[in-house]
Amino acid sequence: LQGMGTTFIKLGQFLATRPDIIGEEMAKDLEKLQDKVPAFELYEAKKVIKKEIGEKQYQNIIEIGEPIAAASIAQVHFAKISNEDQDIDVAVKILRPNIKEIIEDEMKRLEWLTKFLENFQEFRRLQAGSIVKKAREVIKFELDLRYEAAAASELSENTKYDDNFKVPNVFWDKITQKVLTIEKVNGLPIDKIDNSKIDKKLAAKNLIITFLRQSIRDGYFHADLHQGNLFIDDASNLIAVDFGIMGRLDRQNRRYLAEIIYGFIKQDYHDIAKIHKEAGLINKSESIEDFSQALRSIGEPIINQKAKNISMGNVLVQLFEITKQFNMSLQPQLLLLQKTMIIVEGVARNLDPNINFWEVSKPEIEEWLRDELGIKNRLKETQEALKSLARRVPDLPDFLSRAENAIDTISEITKEKEPSSNYIFKGG
């Protein structure tokens, strides 16, 4: 994979988080792709930094060490900088030489391959061309470290009140297209905490909660949460690094995501099927009842078995078969979310093999639905009731007006014809 290029390295990084699918031994080997790709020389890194940030800012770098991590697109060096009369430990990320040209060549090859595969009906359904187009957009941001700095800043703003999740500070005066300078993380890599006193079960739970808050609450999430990008400090805070791949969800997709997850939690498969149909995820001609039954075949094993007994590989196979059966098209805008959800669950399970994604998700989903959709649902119900009434009585306003006039007229007539007490007396 390493020899085949950046795109395949990314594939290997994803597979490394799924020992339940590929086995422990292979997953352990593939973890090397996350931060152990061969590095380029320190002198070359210094040359790039000096050219990018300029002589004046370069003089503020007191020292810079050998690379401590090398990935497919960039590598990282620890350094010490002088900032407002203080010496601060930082991490400096530098793009690989000529990486932009290398990736462009690989993307062209992938685009050719997807066009070829789309000649076959089975692959046409997968919308491979749209997926590659989305991948190109994502990688474009990875190749400009100014975007990564902005992503870190936005994520930090969104999560500043969240317990147990931290984002390193960004030093904007040392940020360029090819150089990123952020605060050095003081913590252990998430896959190196075996002999520490850190509560691994709590860390696993916090990781899932963090992912849900970012994706559903904020609509902006870290989309590359593998072991190489996660650290834990002494207070059990999760610290994320590498903000090159971020995902966004609009409000509608966030709502559907929350309602679908909650539907699985509540085992309301009919409601999930309805949501899929409303969202246009399945064709209008497809039966909601049939789709609900297919969802039940996936949901029941997830909900009713212990987490350690669930084979996510089998679940993914079932999902694939169902999408084929009901002519569902993969949604390119949800691709990063789907991938990240699988990675997060894989990392969480490495920390706690008995973690149950659904049990951890329930309080977060319930709170978001209550806060976000509670008022809207009540307004929607009222609106639907008024619409129903209007359909039954199309001329309701005119009808009420005429009724009121009629009542007034009747009152007047009654007053005019009402016999006086004298008349009654005389008549008696």
Side-chain angles (χ1 to χ4, degrees), residues 124-178:
R124 196 181 307 137
R125 184 183 63 83
L126 297 176
Q127 298 186 26
S130 297
I131 292 171
V132 171
K133 183 180 179 182
K134 184 67 177 178
R136 180 184 278 277
E137 292 174 5
V138 170
I139 291 176
K140 177 183 71 175
F141 286 98
E142 282 196 88
L143 294 174
D144 190 334
L145 297 179
R146 292 170 297 187
Y147 288 121
E148 183 172 345
S153 178
E154 183 174 351
L155 188 64
S156 178
E157 180 68 23
N158 289 345
T159 60
K160 62 183 177 182
Y161 298 117
D162 290 351
D163 295 332
N164 305 115
F165 184 76
K166 306 295 179 186
V167 176
N169 293 323
V170 174
F171 295 90
W172 284 101
D173 57 351
K174 294 177 178 60
I175 303 290
T176 73
Q177 181 181 350
K178 296 182 179 180

Short mmCIF file of all heavy atoms in Angstrom, two decimals, residues 124-178:
data_model
loop_
_atom_site.label_atom_id
_atom_site.label_comp_id
_atom_site.label_asym_id
_atom_site.label_seq_id
_atom_site.Cartn_x
_atom_site.Cartn_y
_atom_site.Cartn_z
N ARG A 124 -21.92 1.28 -11.16
CA ARG A 124 -22.60 2.53 -11.46
C ARG A 124 -23.46 2.97 -10.29
O ARG A 124 -23.56 4.15 -9.96
CB ARG A 124 -23.45 2.36 -12.72
CG ARG A 124 -23.90 3.68 -13.35
CD ARG A 124 -24.75 3.41 -14.59
NE ARG A 124 -24.06 2.53 -15.52
CZ ARG A 124 -24.64 1.53 -16.16
NH1 ARG A 124 -25.93 1.27 -15.97
NH2 ARG A 124 -23.96 0.77 -17.00
N ARG A 125 -24.09 2.00 -9.62
CA ARG A 125 -24.94 2.29 -8.47
C ARG A 125 -24.16 2.92 -7.32
O ARG A 125 -24.68 3.70 -6.53
CB ARG A 125 -25.61 1.00 -7.99
CG ARG A 125 -26.60 1.16 -6.86
CD ARG A 125 -27.14 -0.19 -6.44
NE ARG A 125 -26.10 -1.06 -5.94
CZ ARG A 125 -25.66 -1.03 -4.69
NH1 ARG A 125 -26.17 -0.16 -3.83
NH2 ARG A 125 -24.72 -1.84 -4.28
N LEU A 126 -22.88 2.60 -7.22
CA LEU A 126 -22.04 3.11 -6.13
C LEU A 126 -21.62 4.56 -6.32
O LEU A 126 -21.05 5.16 -5.41
CB LEU A 126 -20.79 2.23 -5.96
CG LEU A 126 -21.04 0.78 -5.57
CD1 LEU A 126 -19.73 0.02 -5.53
CD2 LEU A 126 -21.74 0.71 -4.22
N GLN A 127 -21.88 5.12 -7.50
CA GLN A 127 -21.52 6.50 -7.79
C GLN A 127 -20.04 6.77 -7.50
O GLN A 127 -19.67 7.73 -6.83
CB GLN A 127 -22.39 7.47 -6.99
CG GLN A 127 -23.88 7.36 -7.32
CD GLN A 127 -24.71 8.43 -6.64
OE1 GLN A 127 -24.22 9.49 -6.31
NE2 GLN A 127 -25.97 8.13 -6.42
N ALA A 128 -19.21 5.88 -8.02
CA ALA A 128 -17.77 5.99 -7.75
C ALA A 128 -17.20 7.32 -8.23
O ALA A 128 -16.30 7.88 -7.60
CB ALA A 128 -17.03 4.82 -8.42
N GLY A 129 -17.71 7.82 -9.36
CA GLY A 129 -17.22 9.10 -9.86
C GLY A 129 -17.47 10.23 -8.89
O GLY A 129 -16.59 11.08 -8.67
N SER A 130 -18.66 10.25 -8.27
CA SER A 130 -18.98 11.28 -7.28
C SER A 130 -18.10 11.16 -6.04
O SER A 130 -17.69 12.15 -5.44
CB SER A 130 -20.46 11.18 -6.87
OG SER A 130 -21.30 11.42 -7.97
N ILE A 131 -17.80 9.91 -5.67
CA ILE A 131 -16.96 9.68 -4.49
C ILE A 131 -15.54 10.19 -4.74
O ILE A 131 -14.94 10.84 -3.88
CB ILE A 131 -16.95 8.18 -4.14
CG1 ILE A 131 -18.34 7.76 -3.64
CG2 ILE A 131 -15.90 7.87 -3.08
CD1 ILE A 131 -18.51 6.26 -3.48
N VAL A 132 -15.00 9.91 -5.92
CA VAL A 132 -13.66 10.39 -6.25
C VAL A 132 -13.64 11.92 -6.32
O VAL A 132 -12.68 12.57 -5.89
CB VAL A 132 -13.16 9.77 -7.57
CG1 VAL A 132 -11.87 10.41 -8.03
CG2 VAL A 132 -12.95 8.27 -7.39
N LYS A 133 -14.71 12.49 -6.87
CA LYS A 133 -14.81 13.95 -6.92
C LYS A 133 -14.79 14.54 -5.52
O LYS A 133 -14.11 15.54 -5.26
CB LYS A 133 -16.10 14.36 -7.64
CG LYS A 133 -16.27 15.85 -7.81
CD LYS A 133 -17.57 16.19 -8.54
CE LYS A 133 -17.74 17.70 -8.68
NZ LYS A 133 -19.03 18.04 -9.35
N LYS A 134 -15.52 13.91 -4.60
CA LYS A 134 -15.52 14.35 -3.21
C LYS A 134 -14.14 14.19 -2.59
O LYS A 134 -13.67 15.07 -1.85
CB LYS A 134 -16.56 13.55 -2.41
CG LYS A 134 -16.71 14.00 -0.97
CD LYS A 134 -17.29 15.38 -0.87
CE LYS A 134 -17.50 15.80 0.58
NZ LYS A 134 -18.01 17.17 0.70
N ALA A 135 -13.48 13.07 -2.90
CA ALA A 135 -12.13 12.84 -2.37
C ALA A 135 -11.17 13.91 -2.86
O ALA A 135 -10.31 14.39 -2.11
CB ALA A 135 -11.64 11.46 -2.79
N ARG A 136 -11.32 14.31 -4.11
CA ARG A 136 -10.45 15.36 -4.66
C ARG A 136 -10.66 16.67 -3.89
O ARG A 136 -9.70 17.38 -3.58
CB ARG A 136 -10.75 15.56 -6.15
CG ARG A 136 -9.88 16.63 -6.80
CD ARG A 136 -10.30 16.84 -8.25
NE ARG A 136 -9.71 15.86 -9.14
CZ ARG A 136 -8.48 15.96 -9.65
NH1 ARG A 136 -7.70 16.97 -9.30
NH2 ARG A 136 -8.04 15.04 -10.48
N GLU A 137 -11.92 16.99 -3.58
CA GLU A 137 -12.22 18.21 -2.83
C GLU A 137 -11.60 18.16 -1.44
O GLU A 137 -11.05 19.14 -0.95
CB GLU A 137 -13.73 18.39 -2.72
CG GLU A 137 -14.43 18.71 -4.04
CD GLU A 137 -15.93 18.75 -3.89
OE1 GLU A 137 -16.42 18.62 -2.73
OE2 GLU A 137 -16.63 18.90 -4.90
N VAL A 138 -11.70 16.98 -0.80
CA VAL A 138 -11.16 16.83 0.55
C VAL A 138 -9.64 16.97 0.55
O VAL A 138 -9.06 17.69 1.37
CB VAL A 138 -11.58 15.46 1.14
CG1 VAL A 138 -10.82 15.18 2.43
CG2 VAL A 138 -13.08 15.42 1.39
N ILE A 139 -8.99 16.28 -0.38
CA ILE A 139 -7.52 16.32 -0.43
C ILE A 139 -7.02 17.72 -0.78
O ILE A 139 -5.95 18.12 -0.34
CB ILE A 139 -7.00 15.26 -1.44
CG1 ILE A 139 -7.26 13.86 -0.88
CG2 ILE A 139 -5.51 15.43 -1.69
CD1 ILE A 139 -6.88 12.72 -1.81
N LYS A 140 -7.80 18.47 -1.56
CA LYS A 140 -7.41 19.84 -1.88
C LYS A 140 -7.18 20.65 -0.61
O LYS A 140 -6.23 21.43 -0.52
CB LYS A 140 -8.51 20.50 -2.72
CG LYS A 140 -8.24 21.96 -3.07
CD LYS A 140 -9.40 22.56 -3.85
CE LYS A 140 -10.61 22.75 -2.97
NZ LYS A 140 -11.72 23.45 -3.67
N PHE A 141 -8.04 20.43 0.39
CA PHE A 141 -7.87 21.14 1.66
C PHE A 141 -6.65 20.63 2.42
O PHE A 141 -5.99 21.39 3.11
CB PHE A 141 -9.13 20.99 2.51
CG PHE A 141 -10.29 21.81 2.03
CD1 PHE A 141 -11.28 21.24 1.25
CD2 PHE A 141 -10.38 23.16 2.34
CE1 PHE A 141 -12.35 22.00 0.79
CE2 PHE A 141 -11.45 23.93 1.89
CZ PHE A 141 -12.43 23.36 1.11
N GLU A 142 -6.35 19.33 2.29
CA GLU A 142 -5.17 18.78 2.96
C GLU A 142 -3.88 19.36 2.40
O GLU A 142 -2.86 19.39 3.09
CB GLU A 142 -5.15 17.26 2.81
CG GLU A 142 -6.09 16.52 3.74
CD GLU A 142 -5.73 15.05 3.82
OE1 GLU A 142 -4.89 14.70 4.68
OE2 GLU A 142 -6.30 14.26 3.05
N LEU A 143 -3.91 19.80 1.16
CA LEU A 143 -2.71 20.30 0.51
C LEU A 143 -2.48 21.78 0.75
O LEU A 143 -1.55 22.37 0.19
CB LEU A 143 -2.79 20.02 -1.00
CG LEU A 143 -2.77 18.55 -1.39
CD1 LEU A 143 -3.00 18.38 -2.89
CD2 LEU A 143 -1.44 17.91 -0.99
N ASP A 144 -3.32 22.41 1.55
CA ASP A 144 -3.12 23.81 1.94
C ASP A 144 -3.29 23.89 3.45
O ASP A 144 -4.41 23.82 3.97
CB ASP A 144 -4.13 24.72 1.22
CG ASP A 144 -3.81 26.20 1.41
OD1 ASP A 144 -3.17 26.55 2.43
OD2 ASP A 144 -4.19 27.00 0.54
N LEU A 145 -2.18 24.02 4.15
CA LEU A 145 -2.20 23.95 5.61
C LEU A 145 -2.88 25.16 6.25
O LEU A 145 -3.19 25.14 7.45
CB LEU A 145 -0.79 23.76 6.16
CG LEU A 145 -0.12 22.44 5.74
CD1 LEU A 145 1.29 22.34 6.30
CD2 LEU A 145 -0.96 21.25 6.18
N ARG A 146 -3.12 26.22 5.47
CA ARG A 146 -3.89 27.35 6.00
C ARG A 146 -5.33 26.92 6.28
O ARG A 146 -5.94 27.37 7.25
CB ARG A 146 -3.88 28.51 5.00
CG ARG A 146 -2.51 29.17 4.84
CD ARG A 146 -2.47 30.15 3.70
NE ARG A 146 -2.72 29.49 2.41
CZ ARG A 146 -2.61 30.11 1.24
NH1 ARG A 146 -2.27 31.39 1.19
NH2 ARG A 146 -2.85 29.45 0.12
N TYR A 147 -5.87 26.03 5.43
CA TYR A 147 -7.20 25.51 5.67
C TYR A 147 -7.23 24.66 6.94
O TYR A 147 -8.20 24.68 7.70
CB TYR A 147 -7.66 24.66 4.48
CG TYR A 147 -8.01 25.45 3.24
CD1 TYR A 147 -7.34 25.23 2.04
CD2 TYR A 147 -9.01 26.42 3.27
CE1 TYR A 147 -7.66 25.96 0.90
CE2 TYR A 147 -9.34 27.14 2.13
CZ TYR A 147 -8.66 26.91 0.95
OH TYR A 147 -8.98 27.62 -0.17
N GLU A 148 -6.17 23.90 7.16
CA GLU A 148 -6.11 23.08 8.37
C GLU A 148 -6.07 23.94 9.62
O GLU A 148 -6.72 23.63 10.62
CB GLU A 148 -4.91 22.14 8.33
CG GLU A 148 -4.85 21.22 9.54
CD GLU A 148 -3.78 20.15 9.44
OE1 GLU A 148 -3.26 19.91 8.32
OE2 GLU A 148 -3.47 19.54 10.47
N ALA A 149 -5.32 25.04 9.56
CA ALA A 149 -5.28 25.96 10.70
C ALA A 149 -6.66 26.54 10.97
O ALA A 149 -7.11 26.64 12.13
CB ALA A 149 -4.28 27.09 10.42
N ALA A 150 -7.37 26.92 9.90
CA ALA A 150 -8.72 27.45 10.05
C ALA A 150 -9.66 26.39 10.61
O ALA A 150 -10.53 26.70 11.44
CB ALA A 150 -9.23 27.97 8.70
N ALA A 151 -9.49 25.15 10.18
CA ALA A 151 -10.33 24.05 10.67
C ALA A 151 -10.11 23.84 12.17
O ALA A 151 -11.07 23.65 12.93
CB ALA A 151 -10.02 22.77 9.90
N ALA A 152 -8.85 23.86 12.59
CA ALA A 152 -8.55 23.69 14.01
C ALA A 152 -9.17 24.82 14.82
O ALA A 152 -9.73 24.60 15.91
CB ALA A 152 -7.03 23.67 14.22
N SER A 153 -9.11 26.03 14.29
CA SER A 153 -9.67 27.19 14.97
C SER A 153 -11.19 27.07 15.11
O SER A 153 -11.76 27.34 16.17
CB SER A 153 -9.31 28.47 14.20
OG SER A 153 -9.88 29.60 14.81
N GLU A 154 -11.86 26.65 14.04
CA GLU A 154 -13.32 26.52 14.07
C GLU A 154 -13.75 25.39 15.01
O GLU A 154 -14.70 25.54 15.79
CB GLU A 154 -13.86 26.26 12.66
CG GLU A 154 -15.38 26.18 12.61
CD GLU A 154 -15.92 26.07 11.19
OE1 GLU A 154 -15.14 26.22 10.24
OE2 GLU A 154 -17.14 25.82 11.05
N LEU A 155 -13.04 24.26 14.95
CA LEU A 155 -13.37 23.14 15.84
C LEU A 155 -13.16 23.53 17.30
O LEU A 155 -13.96 23.18 18.18
CB LEU A 155 -12.51 21.93 15.49
CG LEU A 155 -12.87 20.62 16.20
CD1 LEU A 155 -14.26 20.14 15.81
CD2 LEU A 155 -11.83 19.54 15.91
N SER A 156 -12.10 24.29 17.57
CA SER A 156 -11.82 24.75 18.93
C SER A 156 -12.95 25.66 19.43
O SER A 156 -13.39 25.56 20.58
CB SER A 156 -10.49 25.50 18.97
OG SER A 156 -10.23 26.00 20.26
N GLU A 157 -13.43 26.53 18.56
CA GLU A 157 -14.52 27.44 18.93
C GLU A 157 -15.79 26.65 19.23
O GLU A 157 -16.50 26.94 20.21
CB GLU A 157 -14.77 28.42 17.79
CG GLU A 157 -15.89 29.43 18.04
CD GLU A 157 -15.58 30.43 19.13
OE1 GLU A 157 -14.37 30.67 19.40
OE2 GLU A 157 -16.53 30.98 19.72
N ASN A 158 -16.09 25.65 18.41
CA ASN A 158 -17.32 24.87 18.60
C ASN A 158 -17.31 24.05 19.88
O ASN A 158 -18.36 23.80 20.48
CB ASN A 158 -17.52 23.91 17.41
CG ASN A 158 -17.90 24.63 16.14
OD1 ASN A 158 -18.29 25.80 16.16
ND2 ASN A 158 -17.79 23.94 15.02
N THR A 159 -16.12 23.59 20.28
CA THR A 159 -16.02 22.63 21.39
C THR A 159 -15.42 23.22 22.67
O THR A 159 -15.06 22.48 23.57
CB THR A 159 -15.17 21.41 20.96
OG1 THR A 159 -13.85 21.86 20.59
CG2 THR A 159 -15.80 20.70 19.77
N LYS A 160 -15.32 24.53 22.73
CA LYS A 160 -14.60 25.15 23.86
C LYS A 160 -15.28 24.89 25.20
O LYS A 160 -14.61 24.95 26.25
CB LYS A 160 -14.43 26.65 23.63
CG LYS A 160 -15.72 27.44 23.54
CD LYS A 160 -15.41 28.91 23.23
CE LYS A 160 -16.70 29.71 23.05
NZ LYS A 160 -16.38 31.12 22.70
N TYR A 161 -16.57 24.59 25.21
CA TYR A 161 -17.26 24.31 26.47
C TYR A 161 -17.46 22.80 26.70
O TYR A 161 -18.10 22.40 27.67
CB TYR A 161 -18.62 25.01 26.50
CG TYR A 161 -18.52 26.52 26.43
CD1 TYR A 161 -19.04 27.23 25.36
CD2 TYR A 161 -17.86 27.25 27.44
CE1 TYR A 161 -18.95 28.60 25.28
CE2 TYR A 161 -17.75 28.62 27.37
CZ TYR A 161 -18.30 29.29 26.29
OH TYR A 161 -18.18 30.67 26.22
N ASP A 162 -16.94 21.97 25.81
CA ASP A 162 -17.09 20.53 25.95
C ASP A 162 -16.05 19.97 26.92
O ASP A 162 -14.85 20.26 26.79
CB ASP A 162 -16.93 19.82 24.60
CG ASP A 162 -18.10 20.08 23.67
OD1 ASP A 162 -19.10 20.67 24.14
OD2 ASP A 162 -18.03 19.71 22.50
N ASP A 163 -16.51 19.16 27.84
CA ASP A 163 -15.58 18.49 28.74
C ASP A 163 -14.86 17.37 27.98
O ASP A 163 -15.41 16.77 27.07
CB ASP A 163 -16.33 17.89 29.94
CG ASP A 163 -16.96 18.96 30.82
OD1 ASP A 163 -16.41 20.08 30.85
OD2 ASP A 163 -17.99 18.67 31.44
N ASN A 164 -13.63 17.12 28.36
CA ASN A 164 -12.88 15.95 27.88
C ASN A 164 -12.50 16.01 26.41
O ASN A 164 -12.17 14.98 25.82
CB ASN A 164 -13.65 14.65 28.15
CG ASN A 164 -14.03 14.47 29.61
OD1 ASN A 164 -15.19 14.46 29.95
ND2 ASN A 164 -13.03 14.36 30.47
N PHE A 165 -12.51 17.20 25.79
CA PHE A 165 -12.02 17.31 24.42
C PHE A 165 -11.29 18.64 24.24
O PHE A 165 -11.83 19.69 24.58
CB PHE A 165 -13.16 17.21 23.41
CG PHE A 165 -12.68 17.22 21.97
CD1 PHE A 165 -12.09 16.09 21.42
CD2 PHE A 165 -12.78 18.37 21.20
CE1 PHE A 165 -11.62 16.12 20.10
CE2 PHE A 165 -12.33 18.40 19.89
CZ PHE A 165 -11.74 17.27 19.35
N LYS A 166 -10.08 18.57 23.69
CA LYS A 166 -9.25 19.77 23.54
C LYS A 166 -8.70 19.84 22.12
O LYS A 166 -8.47 18.82 21.46
CB LYS A 166 -8.08 19.75 24.53
CG LYS A 166 -8.48 19.57 26.00
CD LYS A 166 -9.29 20.74 26.51
CE LYS A 166 -9.71 20.53 27.98
NZ LYS A 166 -10.62 21.59 28.46
N VAL A 167 -8.46 21.07 21.67
CA VAL A 167 -7.83 21.32 20.38
C VAL A 167 -6.61 22.21 20.62
O VAL A 167 -6.72 23.24 21.31
CB VAL A 167 -8.80 22.03 19.40
CG1 VAL A 167 -8.10 22.37 18.09
CG2 VAL A 167 -10.02 21.16 19.15
N PRO A 168 -5.43 21.87 20.10
CA PRO A 168 -4.23 22.69 20.32
C PRO A 168 -4.38 24.11 19.74
O PRO A 168 -5.09 24.31 18.74
CB PRO A 168 -3.13 21.92 19.58
CG PRO A 168 -3.67 20.53 19.41
CD PRO A 168 -5.15 20.67 19.29
N ASN A 169 -3.72 25.07 20.36
CA ASN A 169 -3.73 26.45 19.87
C ASN A 169 -2.94 26.57 18.57
O ASN A 169 -1.97 25.85 18.33
CB ASN A 169 -3.12 27.40 20.91
CG ASN A 169 -3.98 27.50 22.16
OD1 ASN A 169 -5.20 27.48 22.07
ND2 ASN A 169 -3.35 27.60 23.32
N VAL A 170 -3.36 27.51 17.73
CA VAL A 170 -2.71 27.75 16.43
C VAL A 170 -1.90 29.04 16.51
O VAL A 170 -2.35 30.03 17.07
CB VAL A 170 -3.78 27.87 15.32
CG1 VAL A 170 -3.14 28.28 14.00
CG2 VAL A 170 -4.54 26.56 15.17
N PHE A 171 -0.70 29.03 15.93
CA PHE A 171 0.15 30.23 15.88
C PHE A 171 0.10 30.78 14.45
O PHE A 171 0.84 30.34 13.57
CB PHE A 171 1.58 29.88 16.31
CG PHE A 171 1.69 29.46 17.74
CD1 PHE A 171 1.57 28.12 18.10
CD2 PHE A 171 1.86 30.40 18.75
CE1 PHE A 171 1.63 27.72 19.42
CE2 PHE A 171 1.93 30.01 20.09
CZ PHE A 171 1.82 28.67 20.42
N TRP A 172 -0.79 31.76 14.25
CA TRP A 172 -1.10 32.23 12.91
C TRP A 172 0.07 32.93 12.22
O TRP A 172 0.11 32.97 10.97
CB TRP A 172 -2.31 33.17 12.95
CG TRP A 172 -3.59 32.42 13.13
CD1 TRP A 172 -4.31 32.26 14.28
CD2 TRP A 172 -4.31 31.70 12.12
NE1 TRP A 172 -5.43 31.49 14.05
CE2 TRP A 172 -5.46 31.14 12.74
CE3 TRP A 172 -4.09 31.47 10.76
CZ2 TRP A 172 -6.38 30.37 12.02
CZ3 TRP A 172 -5.02 30.72 10.06
CH2 TRP A 172 -6.14 30.18 10.69
N ASP A 173 1.00 33.48 12.97
CA ASP A 173 2.12 34.16 12.32
C ASP A 173 3.13 33.18 11.71
O ASP A 173 4.05 33.59 11.01
CB ASP A 173 2.84 35.10 13.31
CG ASP A 173 3.34 34.38 14.55
OD1 ASP A 173 2.99 33.19 14.75
OD2 ASP A 173 4.08 35.00 15.33
N LYS A 174 2.92 31.89 11.97
CA LYS A 174 3.81 30.87 11.40
C LYS A 174 2.98 29.83 10.64
O LYS A 174 3.25 28.62 10.68
CB LYS A 174 4.65 30.21 12.49
CG LYS A 174 5.66 31.17 13.13
CD LYS A 174 6.43 30.52 14.25
CE LYS A 174 7.45 31.50 14.83
NZ LYS A 174 6.81 32.72 15.39
N ILE A 175 1.98 30.31 9.92
CA ILE A 175 1.12 29.46 9.10
C ILE A 175 1.24 29.91 7.64
O ILE A 175 1.09 31.08 7.32
CB ILE A 175 -0.36 29.59 9.53
CG1 ILE A 175 -0.54 29.25 11.00
CG2 ILE A 175 -1.24 28.71 8.64
CD1 ILE A 175 -0.35 27.81 11.36
N THR A 176 1.50 28.96 6.75
CA THR A 176 1.48 29.23 5.31
C THR A 176 0.84 28.04 4.61
O THR A 176 0.40 27.09 5.27
CB THR A 176 2.90 29.44 4.74
OG1 THR A 176 3.59 28.17 4.70
CG2 THR A 176 3.71 30.44 5.56
N GLN A 177 0.83 28.04 3.31
CA GLN A 177 0.26 26.93 2.57
C GLN A 177 0.97 25.61 2.88
O GLN A 177 0.35 24.56 2.95
CB GLN A 177 0.32 27.20 1.07
CG GLN A 177 -0.30 26.08 0.23
CD GLN A 177 -0.21 26.35 -1.26
OE1 GLN A 177 0.15 27.44 -1.69
NE2 GLN A 177 -0.50 25.34 -2.06
N LYS A 178 2.29 25.67 3.12
CA LYS A 178 3.07 24.46 3.31
C LYS A 178 3.55 24.24 4.74
O LYS A 178 4.16 23.21 5.03
CB LYS A 178 4.28 24.48 2.37
CG LYS A 178 3.92 24.47 0.89
CD LYS A 178 5.17 24.45 0.02
CE LYS A 178 4.80 24.42 -1.46
NZ LYS A 178 6.01 24.41 -2.33
#
